[in-house]
Amino acid sequence: MSKSESTMTIRLSSKDKKIIKEFADFYNVSSSQFIRDAVMEKIEDSYDLAAYETAMKEFEEDKTTYSFDEAMEELGIEI
């Protein structure tokens, strides 16, 4: 384990541990990697949902939309 890594302990029922191990084995990763990936994906999903909710709130306040060409022109990008 590198100096930038640390250990975290979680409590699981035997049933949950078995399910996690079976899924990890199926994907050919360690249980630790499988749990880490699942947790990070959940966190990313939460950030994405918050960004979506913010964008939708802003859109409700100003429903102006732009075509791709209009956006490129506004940004000064030639295609």
Side-chain angles (χ1 to χ4, degrees):
M1 183 175 358
S2 73
K3 290 184 178 186
S4 64
E5 293 180 341
S6 62
T7 300
M8 179 181 283
T9 303
I10 60 172
R11 296 189 189 280
L12 301 168
S13 68
S14 296
K15 181 181 175 182
D16 289 346
K17 181 179 178 182
K18 181 176 186 261
I19 291 168
I20 290 168
K21 179 159 181 11
E22 287 173 358
F23 267 82
D25 289 347
F26 178 79
Y27 289 105
N28 199 31
V29 296
S30 67
S31 295
S32 186
Q33 182 65 48
F34 182 78
I35 291 169
R36 183 173 32 256
D37 291 347
V39 168
M40 296 310 293
E41 184 175 328
K42 178 69 174 177
I43 291 169
E44 183 180 351
D45 289 348
S46 293
Y47 278 117
D48 290 346
L49 180 58
Y52 165 78
E53 289 171 345
T54 298
M56 287 305 295
K57 184 177 179 182
E58 291 174 3
F59 179 70
E60 289 301 320
E61 293 171 5
D62 179 4
K63 295 193 180 211
T64 304
T65 59
Y66 301 92
S67 69
F68 177 78
D69 291 335
E70 290 170 328
M72 294 296 103
E73 183 178 334
E74 179 75 22
L75 295 170
I77 300 173
E78 292 185 34
I79 50 175

